[in-house]
Amino acid sequence: MSDRRYAVVFSAAARLILAGYLVVSASVVDGGDENAQQLAFFEAKIRPVLVQHCYECHSAKSDAGKGGLRLDSSTALLAGGDSGTPIVRGNADDSLLISALRYDGLEMPPAGKLPDHVIRDFETWVNSGAVDPRTAAVPEDAHRGIDIAAGREFWAFQPIRDHRVPQTRQKFGNSIDAFVNAKLEAADLPVSVAAERSALIRRLYYDLIGLPPTLEERRHAEGAGGGDELSIEGLVDRLLNSTQFGVHWGRHWLDVARYADSNGGDFNATFHNAWKYRDYVIDAMNNDKPFDQFIREQLAGDLLPFDTDYQRTEQLIATGFLMLGTKMLSERDKDKLQMDVVDEQISTVGSAFLGMTLGCARCHDHKFDPIPTDDYYALAGIFRSTRTLEGESQKYVSTWTRTALPAEPSHIAAVREFEAQKKSLDDDLKKLKKSVAALEKQVSQTNGFLVDDISAKTTGVWKSSTLSPGFVGKQYLHDDNKAKGRMSISFPWQAPRSGIYEVQLSYLAGSGRADNVPVTIQHADGTTDIRLNQTKKPALDGLFAAVGRFNFRAEMAATVTISNADTDGHVIADAVRFVEVDGAGKIVPREQIAGSPLAEEIQQQQAQVQQIEQQLKDLAKHAPPPLPEAIAVADLPEIGDCRICIRGEHRNPGDVVPRRFLQVAAYEGQPGIPESQSGRKELAEWIASPNNPLTARVIVNRVWSHLLGEGLVRSVDNFGQLGDRPTHPELLDHLAARFCTPVGRQTEFGAAGLGWSIKALVREIVLTDAYQRSTAHAEIAWQKDPENRLLWKAHRKRLPAESIRDTVLALSGQLDLSPGGSPVQGLGTLVKDNSANAENYESQESFHRSAYLPIIRNELPAMLTVFDFADPDLVTGKRAVTNVPAQALLLMNSPFIMNGARKTAQRLCTGNTTDDELITRTYQAILCRAPTDEEHERAMGFLQSVGSAASTNAEVDVDRLSRFIHVLFASTEFRMLN
């Protein structure tokens, strides 16, 4: 069928069958969490630059500000100056500030253009709305005198403690429902009914493993296959034990860990071993590694004790968490680069584990939370004592450490022997190639008939030299720029046979040479005088300059004489070459060279080169696998505390701050840091302690958010003043207290401990009535609680990008559930040129789950980015959820979706299947439910409009069914969880 006819039929199908599904749903964007990310971006990327480069001329300190412009508060920024408003929110290209930074007309700062990555940060800031928390102009060096004791009164810094399970009128499935229902009863809100079993089964499959149930699994779960109905508890346990649980939930953590397979930034280098960290996370989720141990290994795995090589390998790989952030590798100021890497690590640890925006305190005391600059640099001492970058991949471009992992002694020995053999052959090859090159150069120099300076007759004292490279023979001569007119050198020669010869002179050019060197050529027709400019580089081989073609006779002696008469500058005399020219003006090769000893020596050495190259090829064929490596951190040999960088400037040091942890979250009995150690191990212990007021709350809230659609604290990465307050604070603490209480022990009010188990926490939540409620709208409840903060119904959730792609592959029978291995194998140091026109990186087609796709910074897979994939430069505990035209366009026009629809149709069109059966089977496979009567009627009308009611032609069936499936893939219901 032609593309045009396909489009017409598809359009008709969309209108006739599923018009209701294609209605645009409301955009679901967590404004609070997004705003917190933008504020963190401002504090980390924008405010420090304004302070360092702009405030001197454009702040309250500079009187009215040059040009009437002040940039030290949001109000002043928007008010603008003499040239108008400096920014247009949402449009960097129309903003005067961006034009000035680009040096497009205005040029700010006047001291010099800022680096490109800084300008890109400002463009991102303006395009995303220019969020600016500076409500008043505050001197940046002002110390607010943060009251730590008062700061501890904030809810997030209060010690975690369990709460008594409330009594409610309504029955509840477990203690979680008691806390939820108590809130609903207090607000007099009705509760939504339970979700239909088919919707609940689909929800559980996607929430727990990110994939849809197969038709067989769905029948089994609903008891439709002739056997007993599988209980929800049994289904949950089976999904938790699936290896696909780790793939799906591991991706949640990879969002937080800002996982990527390349560096991004200014030098998009390949992270060849990052995939090992990815697999570590997936395995940790599948093996239900206790979350406190998960923390310790990622922050200090290299410092932890181990019993086996496997454990040591796992712990080293885990520290890749600290390595994965983007870095400006070409930064020449290595002290600044180190502090930038430290800042990225502090910010990541703060947001990932503590829900705190610690990076804001790099330049000043935190503007909103009780975190003084001292706390930031106390942590900076820990990470500044940690080795992250080491060496250079090329001049000025830093690279990261690559740590050897444990390996079998026999493997190590084989690799060492291979490397020794290869090095020996490489050295021999290098020497031989250098020798051949020298011999070939000698041949090129004697292509004609060469007279070197050692055969010349000199008048005056010429100085011999080898100072400047590129001369003929063992030396060259010069007049030392003295005794002008009293020095000359003659090169005698007699032609082997009469003819025309081109005279070529060798000299070393330079600015200090004479530009009018007298040269006299005595030939058969007389003498010719010329002037030679020795400031210009010779045109022939960079060594010889042709000065003319002359007639020479075999029986007549000839000379070429160079003098220094009337010259200003050094005169160089090296060699003269006479090259025979035929009647057509072409060079005549020397016949003597072909059979000369020199030619034979070249041939012998070239044969040796080929022999060694073959040996290297043979050696490579039998090379042992390379020794395993990981990107992993380690303590530096020099451990020490860090000085405060005043205003964040590493060149403006202040007082030394001892290494320690956040004061506001301190607790009795927390570990101290030995002077001889970086403190990462102690930091990991401090964060992973059940006494830390933040850690358990943050991870419990993340898990709740993934399952319920919104966190108990909606700003999942920010538990500070700018974050949301918990909707159910007692429930959050109840779950946090249980989560960090060991299995077999109970909390204060008798609740069973979960032992830091993610799987146990997930199981507790999904077995609640709150999780299993319907998403159906209730007007009365909506009027009282339009944002569903009290959970009177289930939130309707959009499938993550990975699940949309994986579902199409699964339904079409193409999905490969095996681990994906390295997604960047074969790529070099750079995965792509860091430019818009770069085409040297191409994502390979893969049928593995989307978690195994290559995550290349600056070039993410389009299928993922369109559906709000996490930005790998940022800690992302909860992805933004948008509804934009690009999503519908991709589903309607993507060859991937079209191909998936056709292959799905081929799988469903088995045997003699009626249209009635096809419609039911298709709805059950794609939407995990039976069609309604109206949907069935519309679908039947469409299928019959392009084919007969009885299946007679398999190809026709596949063709029409694939278009029907394509419509379902493009529907709203397909990408939403009810």
Side-chain angles (χ1 to χ4, degrees):
M1 179 180 289
S2 69
D3 292 343
R4 183 176 181 275
R5 184 183 171 196
Y6 188 101
V8 171
V9 174
F10 179 87
S11 177
R15 291 195 304 272
L16 293 174
I17 304 175
L18 294 168
Y21 293 152
L22 298 176
V23 175
V24 177
S25 61
S27 179
V28 188
V29 181
D30 189 337
D33 204 36
E34 185 179 23
N35 189 60
Q37 287 186 353
Q38 291 175 344
L39 287 172
F41 184 86
F42 176 86
E43 295 295 346
K45 304 290 188 180
I46 305 303
R47 189 196 291 262
V49 178
L50 293 173
V51 172
Q52 180 182 354
H53 297 287
C54 305
Y55 280 16
E56 182 179 354
C57 299
H58 300 284
S59 69
K61 292 181 179 180
S62 60
D63 299 324
K66 290 186 178 180
L69 176 64
R70 282 176 48 188
L71 300 174
D72 55 348
S73 75
S74 59
T75 304
L77 176 66
L78 293 176
D82 298 343
S83 299
T85 305
I87 62 170
V88 179
R89 283 176 168 168
N91 193 334
D93 290 338
D94 287 349
S95 298
L96 290 174
L97 176 63
I98 303 302
S99 295
L101 294 177
R102 293 171 177 167
Y103 272 39
D104 184 10
L106 296 173
E107 296 183 354
M108 294 294 168
K113 188 178 179 182
L114 296 176
D116 289 344
H117 70 272
V118 174
I119 298 173
R120 286 196 297 269
D121 288 340
F122 272 81
E123 292 169 348
T124 299
W125 174 60
V126 173
N127 284 331
S128 61
V131 171
D132 186 347
R134 302 169 304 152
T135 55
V138 179
E140 292 299 319
D141 56 354
H143 193 288
R144 296 190 297 132
I146 292 176
D147 188 335
I148 299 297
R152 291 192 180 116
E153 297 301 314
F154 187 66
W155 74 268
F157 304 117
Q158 291 288 303
I160 296 173
R161 62 184 183 87
D162 194 11
H163 294 267
R164 193 181 301 278
V165 177
Q167 297 297 315
T168 62
R169 297 189 304 273
Q170 302 170 346
K171 294 181 180 180
F172 52 83
N174 59 25
S175 60
I176 294 174
D177 284 320
F179 285 100
V180 172
N181 291 346
K183 285 274 190 179
L184 291 169
E185 289 180 2
D188 195 24
L189 281 173
V191 176
S192 178
V193 298
E196 293 185 6
R197 189 174 179 89
S198 60
L200 179 59
I201 290 171
R202 184 173 188 256
R203 187 186 302 174
L204 284 168
Y205 265 85
Y206 276 113
D207 279 346
L208 268 57
I209 67 172
L211 294 171
T214 64
L215 288 172
E216 293 73 19
E217 288 170 335
R218 179 175 170 273
R219 291 192 189 101
H220 182 51
E222 294 186 353
D228 294 335
E229 181 178 78
L230 183 66
S231 68
I232 293 299
E233 290 87 348
L235 174 60
V236 168
D237 289 340
R238 187 167 66 81
L239 293 174
L240 289 173
N241 289 326
S242 167
T243 57
Q244 300 310 306
F245 174 85
V247 178
H248 182 62
W249 278 80
R251 184 59 250 186
H252 289 328
W253 184 255
L254 294 175
D255 282 3
V256 173
R258 76 271 189 251
Y259 174 83
D261 293 297
S262 77
N263 178 71
D266 61 337
F267 198 81
N268 201 2
T270 309
F271 287 163
H272 286 104
N273 292 306
W275 66 276
K276 295 177 181 177
Y277 173 81
R278 176 202 69 197
D279 286 1
Y280 159 81
V281 171
I282 291 172
D283 290 344
M285 292 296 169
N286 275 331
N287 297 329
D288 202 19
K289 185 186 291 288
F291 190 73
D292 58 340
Q293 184 64 14
F294 190 55
I295 295 171
R296 294 186 190 97
E297 290 177 357
Q298 291 180 91
L299 294 182
D302 57 307
L303 304 175
L304 298 179
F306 57 92
D307 297 323
T308 64
D309 283 349
Y310 177 82
Q311 185 181 11
R312 176 63 172 168
T313 296
E314 193 176 42
Q315 291 173 179
L316 285 173
I317 291 172
T319 66
F321 172 84
L322 294 172
M323 305 281 289
L324 291 171
T326 184
K327 310 165 190 68
M328 304 307 295
L329 296 173
S330 63
E331 173 64 67
R332 294 197 180 193
D333 186 339
K334 299 308 177 185
D335 290 333
K336 178 181 183 299
L337 175 59
Q338 183 184 36
M339 291 307 297
D340 287 345
V341 170
V342 165
D343 177 71
E344 197 277 337
Q345 291 170 333
I346 292 174
S347 298
T348 298
V349 169
S351 295
F353 298 114
L354 305 174
M356 287 283 115
T357 55
L358 303 184
C360 300
R362 180 179 185 178
C363 304
H364 47 72
D365 289 346
H366 202 294
K367 298 294 183 183
F368 309 103
D369 298 327
I371 303 172
T373 304
D374 290 7
D375 279 10
Y376 176 94
Y377 286 97
L379 294 172
I382 295 174
F383 292 107
R384 204 167 184 272
S385 299
T386 299
R387 185 183 65 193
T388 302
L389 296 175
E390 185 177 52
E392 294 182 339
S393 61
Q394 64 185 55
K395 191 173 182 180
Y396 303 123
V397 179
S398 299
T399 190
W400 48 89
T401 56
R402 292 162 177 81
T403 302
L405 298 174
E408 292 293 330
S410 58
H411 185 191
I412 296 174
V415 170
R416 296 291 179 255
E417 182 180 357
F418 168 80
E419 289 175 345
Q421 291 178 3
K422 185 175 184 300
K423 184 179 184 305
S424 177
L425 289 172
D426 283 337
D427 289 345
D428 291 345
L429 183 63
K430 184 178 180 181
K431 292 176 183 177
L432 272 172
K433 285 186 173 181
K434 185 176 180 180
S435 175
V436 170
L439 291 172
E440 288 178 339
K441 181 179 179 181
Q442 188 175 349
V443 167
S444 70
Q445 292 172 353
T446 57
N447 185 45
F449 298 89
L450 185 73
V451 182
D452 197 9
D453 56 79
I454 59 173
S455 302
K457 180 180 180 181
T458 61
T459 300
V461 182
W462 290 78
K463 296 190 67 173
S464 64
S465 177
T466 59
L467 181 62
S468 297
F471 49 84
V472 176
K474 67 177 183 179
Q475 64 177 25
Y476 63 94
L477 304 177
H478 65 85
D479 71 342
D480 204 21
N481 201 20
K482 296 177 181 178
K484 296 298 185 180
R486 300 197 301 272
M487 298 176 65
S488 65
I489 180 170
S490 296
F491 294 82
W493 180 66
Q494 188 167 351
R497 60 176 173 264
S498 299
I500 303 298
Y501 290 81
E502 183 174 271
V503 177
Q504 302 171 355
L505 271 66
S506 172
Y507 64 90
L508 287 86
S511 59
R513 311 301 192 227
D515 62 1
N516 61 341
V517 177
V519 178
T520 299
I521 302 96
Q522 181 184 356
H523 47 82
D525 299 327
T527 59
T528 301
D529 295 322
I530 66 164
R531 293 279 179 167
L532 180 63
N533 185 351
Q534 292 191 340
T535 64
K536 293 183 178 180
K537 187 175 181 179
L540 302 174
D541 307 325
L543 192 60
F544 286 90
V547 298
R549 293 180 174 183
F550 308 95
N551 182 24
F552 293 91
R553 293 178 184 169
E555 67 277 7
M556 181 182 293
T559 59
V560 174
T561 302
I562 300 173
S563 111
N564 70 347
D566 301 322
T567 58
D568 182 13
H570 287 75
V571 174
I572 307 297
D574 185 14
V576 176
R577 186 165 63 186
F578 299 85
V579 181
E580 188 173 2
V581 179
D582 64 16
K586 295 182 179 180
I587 300 295
V588 178
R590 281 194 55 182
E591 297 175 354
Q592 296 93 322
I593 295 300
S596 70
L598 185 62
E600 292 179 359
E601 186 175 357
I602 290 174
Q603 290 175 354
Q604 291 174 359
Q605 292 191 11
Q606 286 176 335
Q608 290 177 303
V609 166
Q610 292 175 356
Q611 182 181 4
I612 293 178
E613 288 176 339
Q614 185 59 48
Q615 288 177 311
L616 283 168
K617 289 179 181 178
D618 294 340
L619 185 66
K621 289 179 182 178
H622 302 92
L627 291 173
E629 291 182 334
I631 51 174
V633 299
D635 275 3
L636 286 168
E638 296 181 3
I639 302 295
D641 299 325
C642 186
R643 288 184 178 275
I644 291 175
C645 298
I646 299 173
R647 295 187 178 181
E649 277 295 305
H650 68 288
R651 298 181 185 276
N652 191 10
D655 296 335
V656 175
V657 182
R659 283 162 290 142
R660 53 172 170 74
F661 318 123
L662 298 185
Q663 299 175 71
V664 72
Y667 53 85
E668 187 175 351
Q670 70 181 24
I673 299 177
E675 288 187 7
S676 60
Q677 297 178 16
S678 66
R680 275 188 299 113
K681 182 173 179 291
E682 291 70 28
L683 174 64
E685 292 291 349
W686 177 76
I687 291 176
S689 170
N691 295 319
N692 190 300
L694 294 164
T695 310
R697 284 182 175 126
V698 169
I699 185 58
V700 162
N701 188 62
R702 291 192 195 282
V703 173
W704 183 277
S705 175
H706 288 309
L707 294 171
L708 274 296
E710 293 289 356
L712 295 169
V713 179
R714 293 198 168 193
S715 55
V716 296
D717 297 322
N718 190 348
F719 275 36
Q721 286 284 354
L722 292 180
D724 287 327
R725 303 301 182 266
T727 56
H728 299 72
E730 295 84 5
L731 172 57
L732 178 61
D733 270 19
H734 169 72
L735 287 174
R738 292 186 62 194
F739 184 69
C740 60
T741 297
V743 176
R745 292 176 56 185
Q746 295 181 335
T747 65
E748 177 184 355
F749 293 105
L754 301 179
W756 296 91
S757 168
I758 296 291
K759 284 189 176 182
L761 178 61
V762 169
R763 189 179 193 279
E764 286 278 322
I765 294 174
V766 299
L767 292 179
T768 62
D769 293 341
Y771 172 83
Q772 296 182 18
R773 285 180 182 135
S774 167
T775 60
H777 177 74
E779 184 66 23
I780 296 176
W782 181 81
Q783 290 290 344
K784 292 185 177 182
D785 182 19
E787 295 184 3
N788 191 31
R789 288 181 175 267
L790 298 183
L791 302 172
W792 51 270
K793 68 167 186 171
H795 287 287
R796 195 170 186 229
K797 298 179 295 187
R798 219 267 311 280
L799 291 180
E802 295 92 330
S803 289
I804 294 174
R805 176 184 176 274
D806 293 352
T807 297
V808 173
L809 289 175
L811 293 175
S812 61
Q814 301 177 91
L815 184 62
D816 182 351
L817 293 177
S818 64
S822 171
V824 292
Q825 188 172 7
L827 294 183
T829 300
L830 281 181
V831 12
K832 61 167 286 190
D833 291 333
N834 199 11
S835 67
N837 298 321
E839 296 180 353
N840 60 327
Y841 169 74
E842 293 183 3
S843 181
Q844 300 296 317
E845 183 179 22
S846 170
F847 298 108
H848 290 284
R849 290 201 63 175
S850 300
Y852 296 110
L853 290 177
I855 304 304
I856 304 301
R857 286 188 168 108
N858 306 335
E859 192 177 341
L860 298 172
M863 185 73 187
L864 303 186
T865 53
V866 167
F867 288 101
D868 307 309
F869 185 75
D871 184 343
D873 289 348
L874 305 173
V875 172
T876 306
K878 183 178 185 297
R879 297 179 183 179
V881 180
T882 63
N883 197 331
V884 295
Q887 295 166 355
L889 290 171
L890 184 143
L891 291 174
M892 293 175 68
N893 299 303
S894 166
F896 170 79
I897 298 295
M898 294 180 185
N899 181 61
R902 185 163 194 83
K903 289 188 178 296
T904 303
Q906 290 171 343
R907 296 186 74 206
L908 294 176
C909 289
T910 55
N912 247 354
T913 310
T914 66
D915 286 349
D916 198 51
E917 293 170 328
L918 277 178
I919 292 167
T920 300
R921 186 183 298 175
T922 300
Y923 268 87
Q924 290 175 337
I926 297 174
L927 302 180
C928 300
R929 65 171 178 83
T932 65
D933 291 342
E934 183 180 5
E935 290 167 340
H936 192 283
E937 182 180 350
R938 289 181 177 178
M940 182 68 75
F942 170 72
L943 291 180
Q944 290 182 354
S945 70
V946 293
S948 62
S951 298
T952 57
N953 186 312
E955 193 60 32
V956 171
D957 283 345
V958 169
D959 187 56
R960 62 195 181 126
L961 185 62
S962 67
R963 297 198 296 276
F964 176 48
I965 291 171
H966 191 179
V967 172
L968 291 183
F969 281 165
S971 69
T972 300
E973 185 176 353
F974 171 72
R975 58 184 186 269
M976 299 296 292
L977 280 181
N978 290 322

